[in-house]
């Protein structure tokens, strides 16, 4: 709860600062519209949080997003029905996640090394396939998924993000598979001797991560009306920052989806406010990188405190 209060306090402080600097920032339309630009990040951050809880990590999510968007765009250019293009994009994301899962769960390769390699591999495949070309001109009904609004105010992606957050929370905290995920992250050896299917759990987590990244890719194409190989370049930084800043340590065994959503709100507010203040992308990247380092340092410091000086929360709590 202390971390939640800190995140909410920082968010309120950011809102006040940006509102003083740019009065238009507090307009309801602006406050809701900024969630549109962070929906893709939020969808990937949910699966990233679960992966971190299980002791894993996926640096290839942004590359999967781009590759799945390329699959959608180029199949649509080949005159396939749009619904089949979307399904193919989602399947391609799941398959790319399966590649990560096989290497990490069954070949026992380090997650950082594997996903760093596939980050370059999937992005390179997308660039090689497209040769720098872009696909646009999608139907208006599809573009509405990324640009439309409910009641003229609420972005259409926002309810989807909230629904996925509720489903992820329920699976993580109210199902046997969720208990297995916490057990694998806390102590993989003990989990295996307890009968937890460690390899299968880790494999399917990476498949889900790829699927979520491909869903984000579909929304990205709909929002920009463009499928391109360089989509969401560097977005994995925001995804990992949201999860770590929300209270999920890189050591695994614990974490909070609620914290991730609050961190996502804070990051989206910072991005929107800095954009309106005309702060450059490079300066924003420096700020987000500094936040990421601070989040990791704070998490490591909390873990290093003696048991007598810190409260141990139940893993089933938020």
């Amino acid at each position: 709860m202390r971390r939640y209060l800190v995140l909410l306090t920082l968010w309120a402080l950011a809102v006040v600062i940006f509102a003083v600097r740019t009065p238009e920032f507090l307009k309801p339309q602006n406050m809701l519209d900024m969630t549109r630009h962070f929906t893709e990040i939020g969808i990937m951050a949910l699966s990233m949080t679960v992966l971190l809880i299980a002791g894993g990590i996926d640096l290839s999510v942004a590359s999967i997003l781009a590759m799945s968007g390329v699959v959608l765009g180029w199949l649509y250019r080949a005159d396939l029905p749009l619904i089949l293009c979307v399904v193919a994009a989602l399947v391609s994301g799941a398959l790319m996640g399966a590649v990560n899962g096989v290497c990490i769960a069954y070949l026992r390769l380090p997650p950082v090394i594997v996903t760093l390699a596939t980050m370059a591999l999937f992005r390179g495949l997308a660039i090689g396939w497209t040769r720098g070309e872009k696909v646009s001109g999608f139907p208006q009904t599809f573009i509405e998924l990324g640009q439309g609004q409910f009641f003229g105010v609420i972005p259409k992606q926002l309810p989807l993000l909230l629904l996925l957050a509720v489903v992820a929370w329920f699976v993580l905290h109210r199902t046997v598979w969720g208990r297995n995920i916490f057990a694998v992250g806390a102590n993989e050896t003990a989990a295996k001797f307890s009968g937890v299917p460690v390899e299968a759990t880790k494999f399917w987590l990476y498949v889900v991560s790829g699927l979520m990244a491909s869903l984000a890719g579909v929304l990205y194409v709909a929002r920009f009306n463009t499928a391109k190989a360089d989509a969401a370049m560097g977005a994995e930084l925001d995804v990992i920052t949201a999860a770590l800043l929300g209270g999920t340590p890189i050591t695994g065994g614990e974490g909070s989806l609620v914290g991730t959503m609050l961190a996502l709100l804070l990051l989206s507010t910072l991005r929107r406010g800095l954009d309106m203040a005309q702060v450059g992308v490079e300066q924003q990247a420096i700020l987000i990188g500094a936040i990421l380092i601070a989040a990791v340092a704070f998490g490591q410091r909390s873990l290093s405190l003696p048991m007598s000086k810190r409260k141990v929360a139940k893993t089933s709590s938020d």
Side-chain angles (χ1 to χ4, degrees), residues 126-260:
I127 295 174
W129 185 1
T130 63
R131 297 181 181 179
E133 297 181 22
K134 303 176 182 180
V135 175
S136 57
F138 294 93
Q140 186 61 35
T141 53
F142 177 70
I143 297 174
E144 279 292 313
L145 293 176
Q147 301 180 7
Q149 298 174 329
F150 290 114
F151 311 110
V153 177
I154 303 174
K156 287 190 174 181
Q157 306 99 316
L158 183 58
L160 175 61
L161 174 61
L162 296 178
L163 175 62
L164 290 174
V166 171
V167 171
W169 179 90
F170 179 83
V171 170
L172 190 60
H173 296 287
R174 294 294 183 267
T175 67
V176 173
W177 196 43
R179 298 296 89 208
N180 291 345
I181 292 170
F182 277 107
V184 170
N187 191 315
E188 188 173 317
T189 303
K192 182 174 293 186
F193 280 108
S194 300
V196 175
V198 175
E199 289 80 8
T201 299
K202 293 167 70 174
F203 171 78
W204 286 108
L205 283 177
Y206 281 97
V207 172
V208 171
S209 178
L211 181 62
M212 296 284 270
S214 63
L215 175 59
V218 171
L219 294 177
Y220 187 96
V221 173
R223 181 158 67 90
F224 288 100
N225 188 23
T226 302
K228 54 183 181 177
D230 60 347
M233 190 77 75
E236 58 276 341
L237 174 64
D238 288 321
V239 174
I240 296 173
T241 302
L244 295 178
L245 187 61
T248 303
I250 58 177
T251 51
E254 59 180 303
S256 169
L257 289 170
V258 176
T260 297

Side-chain angles (χ1 to χ4, degrees), residues 62-91:
S63 297
I64 294 176
L65 180 154
M67 185 62 191
S68 59
V70 165
V71 170
L72 190 158
W74 261 253
L75 290 181
Y76 180 72
R77 172 183 277 186
D79 295 328
L80 269 69
L82 183 59
I83 185 63
L84 291 182
C85 299
V86 171
V87 172
L90 297 177
V91 171

Side-chain angles (χ1 to χ4, degrees), residues 69-119:
V70 165
V71 170
L72 190 158
W74 261 253
L75 290 181
Y76 180 72
R77 172 183 277 186
D79 295 328
L80 269 69
L82 183 59
I83 185 63
L84 291 182
C85 299
V86 171
V87 172
L90 297 177
V91 171
S92 69
L95 290 175
M96 286 183 277
V99 171
N100 287 334
V102 168
C103 294
I104 294 168
Y106 295 107
L107 299 183
R108 301 183 180 279
L109 300 177
V112 173
I113 301 301
V114 171
T115 57
L116 184 63
T118 54
M119 176 179 70

